[in-house]
Amino acid sequence: MKICKGNNNSSLVGIMFSSKVIFASFRTLKIKGMYKTKNNIFFSGCFRNSDERIFAVTGKNKKIDIFDVKNHCLLRSLWGHENPVYSLCFSIENSKIISGGNDSYVKLWDIPLEKCEDNIKNIDGPIRSVSYFLSHDKIFGTSSFNGKINLFDLRQKKKSFRLFSHGCPIEKFVFIKNEKEIISIGGNHIKIWNIFEKKLNFSLKMEKPVHNIGTIGSSGFFFNTLGQEIKYYDFYSSSSFTIYSFNKEITCFESFQKGFLVGFTDGKLCFKKNLTKKYDNLLISEEFCSRNIILIYNKKKKSFLPKKRIKKKFNAL
């Protein structure tokens, strides 16, 4: 399972399973649509920047599908990879996509023309994830299963200009909003790198493997390791502590304006809406709210419905 959210002002969320993506409104908790397949296994998906109607997905069948969530129709399919595609990302101006996968090539796609504009060989082997620089569509990065992060600038003759070594296979890496750093997670480590000085600014080693990382602010960030807890690391105190504890294994989570959407190993989801004022500000929340809600998907009503409220200890169904 994977949770995909749009931009900060979006209320739509995509919940990816192995062969389907469910789109739901985060405000109304209603199902807005579903995309299913019988001949593919999904690996990655994302919304187009500033446009929650368009969603792209990649998978085992070596192609990229772009579809209209609102009108429930497939817009385009992009073919070109020779092996499964593990990751993709829209450019800042939304007319291009980069993708990478098991064939060790990162491809730059022109969406309107439906063609591959550039094809760059990754010397470090199969690509685990790709990400665009936040304010420039000519700069992007890739991470590999051998723990290396490569940054590319398409304006240069030698396109690869930075190389960082995480030290183990990387689950995820993203450019931080200050546009000076990137953060990578993999194995038991979370690391923050300075792009321009090419040095390690921060390293955190946990006892268990790190799976996900959420909102990154000036004072800290949310993350989860293998297990049942969502944690917060505080830069000022140089320490991490548990924010939420569940009674089931967590596979993924995403932070939103009013709380967390959490996915579990049994395929169930929970919306956690119980924030103290201290962490409420980190999530750019609208209003302090204190309640616990467990959600369960109701097939007849096509909605994530509240199942139970708990005042003290929170237990997921």
Side-chain angles (χ1 to χ4, degrees):
M1 184 194 302
K2 182 179 179 181
I3 300 170
C4 308
K5 69 175 182 178
N7 59 67
N8 291 332
N9 298 320
S10 173
S11 64
L12 198 65
V13 58
I15 305 158
M16 291 186 63
F17 298 91
S18 60
S19 60
K20 66 181 177 181
V21 185
I22 296 174
F23 300 99
S25 169
F26 192 74
R27 293 193 181 100
T28 63
L29 304 179
K30 297 291 184 180
I31 300 298
K32 295 294 184 180
M34 182 185 298
Y35 176 71
K36 296 180 68 175
T37 182
K38 294 182 179 179
N39 57 1
N40 195 11
I41 297 175
F42 296 139
F43 292 144
S44 177
C46 65
F47 287 99
R48 189 165 71 170
N49 298 309
S50 71
D51 187 358
E52 64 181 23
R53 297 173 302 169
I54 308 300
F55 190 84
V57 66
T58 66
K60 190 177 180 180
N61 67 357
K62 311 173 189 177
K63 68 172 180 174
I64 300 168
D65 285 333
I66 304 171
F67 49 91
D68 189 321
V69 176
K70 184 177 180 180
N71 297 314
H72 310 287
C73 63
L74 181 66
L75 299 176
R76 285 172 175 80
S77 290
L78 305 175
W79 295 87
H81 282 282
E82 296 179 358
N83 286 298
V85 186
Y86 294 133
S87 182
L88 83 164
C89 183
F90 280 97
S91 64
I92 187 67
E93 36 74 351
N94 292 322
S95 66
K96 301 183 188 302
I97 280 179
I98 53 170
S99 61
N102 204 43
D103 59 5
S104 302
Y105 279 93
V106 54
K107 294 182 181 289
L108 175 66
W109 302 90
D110 186 299
I111 300 173
L113 297 179
E114 299 184 50
K115 73 173 186 178
C116 180
E117 282 191 341
D118 211 340
N119 195 30
I120 304 171
K121 176 72 172 180
N122 183 43
I123 60 174
D124 293 305
I127 297 168
R128 177 66 179 88
S129 62
V130 296
S131 181
Y132 260 112
F133 195 66
L134 297 176
S135 64
H136 208 300
D137 63 357
K138 298 296 183 181
I139 301 174
F140 61 87
T142 66
S143 68
S144 305
F145 287 96
N146 68 352
K148 300 292 178 62
I149 300 172
N150 277 292
L151 302 186
F152 298 86
D153 188 343
L154 297 178
R155 300 167 298 179
Q156 305 297 325
K157 186 175 182 179
K158 186 180 178 181
K159 296 175 182 178
S160 178
F161 73 97
R162 286 289 186 275
L163 177 66
F164 302 96
S165 180
H166 185 84
C168 60
I170 298 170
E171 288 293 324
K172 181 181 180 182
F173 91 97
V174 292
F175 289 94
I176 297 178
K177 289 184 178 180
N178 63 15
E179 299 190 343
K180 297 178 181 179
E181 298 171 313
I182 57 175
I183 186 166
S184 60
I185 63 172
N188 293 31
H189 292 271
I190 301 173
K191 296 183 178 182
I192 297 178
W193 309 85
N194 187 297
I195 298 173
F196 304 102
E197 297 180 11
K198 199 179 178 181
K199 69 176 185 179
L200 182 65
N201 282 353
F202 169 84
S203 180
L204 174 66
K205 183 178 181 180
M206 304 301 297
E207 294 181 357
K208 298 179 181 180
V210 181
H211 278 186
N212 299 282
I213 191 163
T215 303
I216 304 167
S218 58
S219 57
F221 55 85
F222 298 97
F223 68 99
N224 82 285
T225 58
L226 178 66
Q228 304 171 345
E229 299 176 336
I230 295 177
K231 299 177 179 288
Y232 180 74
Y233 184 86
D234 190 313
F235 288 132
Y236 299 116
S237 64
S238 299
S239 62
S240 63
F241 40 89
T242 300
I243 302 298
Y244 298 128
S245 181
F246 302 86
N247 68 344
K248 291 200 174 185
E249 295 287 322
I250 300 171
T251 59
C252 56
F253 79 91
E254 273 291 357
S255 56
F256 295 86
Q257 289 184 341
K258 294 184 178 181
F260 290 90
L261 187 61
V262 186
F264 301 94
T265 53
D266 60 1
K268 293 182 179 178
L269 290 155
C270 163
F271 173 43
K272 180 69 166 128
K273 194 172 182 179
N274 181 23
L275 304 173
T276 66
K277 293 181 179 179
K278 179 178 179 180
Y279 306 113
D280 205 36
N281 295 330
L282 297 171
L283 295 175
I284 322 172
S285 69
E286 299 168 355
E287 182 181 356
F288 173 65
C289 182
S290 179
R291 61 178 180 146
N292 292 320
I293 297 179
I294 295 174
L295 300 180
I296 189 166
Y297 178 57
N298 187 299
K299 292 183 178 179
K300 291 182 179 180
K301 296 186 177 181
K302 294 184 178 180
S303 174
F304 289 100
L305 302 176
K307 184 71 176 178
K308 188 188 297 182
R309 293 187 182 183
I310 301 174
K311 292 182 179 180
K312 295 183 179 179
K313 186 177 178 181
F314 179 77
N315 292 303
L317 291 179

